[in-house]
Amino acid sequence: MLTPSERERYDRQIMIGQIGEEGQEKLKRSRVAIAGAGGLGSPIAIYLTAAGIGMIRMIDHDQVTLSNLNRQILHWGEDVGRNKVESAGTKLRNLNSTVNIETIAETITEGNVSQLVEGCDVIVDAMDNLPTRYVLNRCAVEKKLPFFHGAVNGFEGRVMTVIPGQSACLRCMYRGQVPQEKFPVIGVAPAVIGSIQATEVIKYLVGIGKLLTNRLLVYDGLKVSLTEFSVSKNPNCDHCGSLDRKE
Amino acid sequence: MSVKVHIHTTHRQMTNGLEVVEVEGKTVRECLSHLVSQFPGMEKALFAKKDKLLNNVEVYLNHASAYPNELLKPVKDDDEIHLLVMLTGG
């Protein structure tokens, strides 16, 4: 049940026919893991907190640096040197104290990922590197948790939603290791991509709309274009291929 | 009578800034070979070695992923190839 205060806070989105009070209650009952409290994690966490998700778990091992501040809008000048999840937690609780914000300052590994996302309904990819994305993807596939992928570079970004057992996973197009390099980015790129990821999460949790499953959405900020590409499940995928065979 | 190859932003320095290059060929491999013959800098941008794309290069044929065996995929006139680069930042 929503409280009178919650009805007032979420009034404008409850007015959306596809959400309504029932949808808002679904959001309130939901538990979301956000892997990464940086460029993508900032808009994702802000919009999901504002939307009234019941619990948000922020996971990031890093500390805030001055060079983060061009894009990681949860962190401010006064936060430099602070754990990112602590900095994020402070802002998100101030934004919406009715949301339970959990913070975990740990590096995500194959060994701990299952425990880190325990109890969550979905996993959101807000990482800055491919190896950890694959760790999360495998965990999501194994636990059959929806996985919301996003990535950026420069003015560009991409989004794809993975529903294990139903749609292509992030690993389905894996061709081998990619060199990990410092990437260029301007803050407005993760702002757009993170906002689309948050939209996907809300749609999934409420059960509305058409998800970006088997569809890779590519955003080009320089042209202001969105291009969609279809992707297919790979029966030989080393993450989700065996899941297909079992089902 | 040709195939359009859409060049990724990071590769356009190799194509004199062109976003789209017209090529000819009956497979993705032949089309990319024709692209490279016009813009030799694209060889290093796309291929790790002969007939082996770089791991971070993605090929889409008519807006659908061409993976796996991208280079062997047949193409016909008026098809479109998009060359993307996998993004890893966040």
Side-chain angles (χ1 to χ4, degrees), chain A residues 114-183:
Chain A
S114 180
Q115 188 186 348
L116 291 177
V117 302
E118 186 63 38
C120 291
D121 302 311
V122 304
I123 304 171
V124 190
D125 166 18
M127 298 308 305
D128 61 357
N129 68 86
L130 209 47
T132 312
R133 285 189 164 94
Y134 287 135
V135 168
L136 291 163
N137 181 76
R138 181 189 286 277
C139 175
V141 167
E142 288 176 355
K143 287 178 169 283
K144 296 186 178 175
L145 294 177
F147 181 56
F148 298 87
H149 165 63
V152 292
N153 188 301
F155 278 90
E156 185 182 347
R158 52 170 58 190
V159 191
M160 187 174 87
T161 295
V162 177
I163 305 294
Q166 295 179 33
S167 68
C169 80
L170 188 58
R171 187 83 169 187
C172 280
M173 293 186 290
Y174 182 70
R175 200 189 289 110
Q177 289 190 337
V178 172
Q180 195 173 330
E181 297 169 335
K182 182 178 175 183
F183 61 94

Side-chain angles (χ1 to χ4, degrees), chain B residues 38-79:
Chain B
Q38 296 177 67
F39 303 102
M42 288 299 291
E43 174 89 41
K44 264 190 154 180
L46 299 178
F47 292 96
K49 54 186 178 184
K50 187 174 170 12
D51 294 330
K52 169 78 172 75
L53 288 165
L54 288 167
N55 288 341
N56 66 341
V57 173
E58 297 174 347
V59 179
Y60 295 86
L61 180 57
N62 298 325
H63 288 81
S65 172
Y67 180 87
N69 303 318
E70 301 95 320
L71 298 177
L72 303 178
K73 294 286 187 318
V75 297
K76 55 186 186 311
D77 284 339
D78 298 327
D79 277 356

Side-chain angles (χ1 to χ4, degrees), chain A residues 33-240:
Chain A
I34 301 176
L40 288 170
S42 290
I44 294 166
I46 287 170
Y47 282 112
L48 293 182
T49 299
I53 301 293
M55 187 280 281
I56 293 176
R57 183 177 298 159
M58 301 295 296
I59 309 164
D60 197 311
H61 72 282
D62 222 349
Q63 287 82 43
V64 179
T65 66
L66 191 58
S67 69
N68 296 151
L69 302 186
N70 79 318
R71 64 197 183 281
Q72 303 185 13
I73 56 172
L74 270 174
H75 315 302
W76 304 344
E78 66 197 32
D79 299 313
V80 170
R82 200 176 173 202
N83 274 345
K84 285 187 181 176
V85 290
E86 284 179 22
S87 164
T90 301
K91 316 301 190 321
L92 297 173
R93 290 182 192 107
N94 282 337
L95 171 62
N96 190 345
S97 62
T98 69
V99 176
N100 177 17
I101 305 292
E102 293 185 2
T103 57
I104 301 179
E106 283 189 38
T107 304
I108 298 169
T109 67
E110 284 186 20
N112 68 7
V113 65
S114 180
Q115 188 186 348
L116 291 177
V117 302
E118 186 63 38
C120 291
D121 302 311
V122 304
I123 304 171
V124 190
D125 166 18
M127 298 308 305
D128 61 357
N129 68 86
L130 209 47
T132 312
R133 285 189 164 94
Y134 287 135
V135 168
L136 291 163
N137 181 76
R138 181 189 286 277
C139 175
V141 167
E142 288 176 355
K143 287 178 169 283
K144 296 186 178 175
L145 294 177
F147 181 56
F148 298 87
H149 165 63
V152 292
N153 188 301
F155 278 90
E156 185 182 347
R158 52 170 58 190
V159 191
M160 187 174 87
T161 295
V162 177
I163 305 294
Q166 295 179 33
S167 68
C169 80
L170 188 58
R171 187 83 169 187
C172 280
M173 293 186 290
Y174 182 70
R175 200 189 289 110
Q177 289 190 337
V178 172
Q180 195 173 330
E181 297 169 335
K182 182 178 175 183
F183 61 94
V185 62
I186 185 156
V188 288
V192 170
I193 297 303
S195 297
I196 296 173
Q197 288 177 274
T199 307
E200 287 287 285
V201 172
I202 290 167
K203 282 159 52 186
Y204 171 79
L205 293 174
V206 176
I208 57 175
K210 182 183 176 187
L211 295 170
L212 281 168
T213 48
N214 292 324
R215 297 190 292 153
L216 177 71
L217 187 72
V218 175
Y219 166 72
D220 181 345
L222 289 176
K223 288 170 66 180
V224 195
S225 68
L226 286 166
T227 311
E228 192 177 306
F229 298 97
S230 68
V231 294
S232 303
K233 284 172 67 127
N234 177 0
N236 297 316
C237 173
D238 64 346
H239 283 194
C240 74

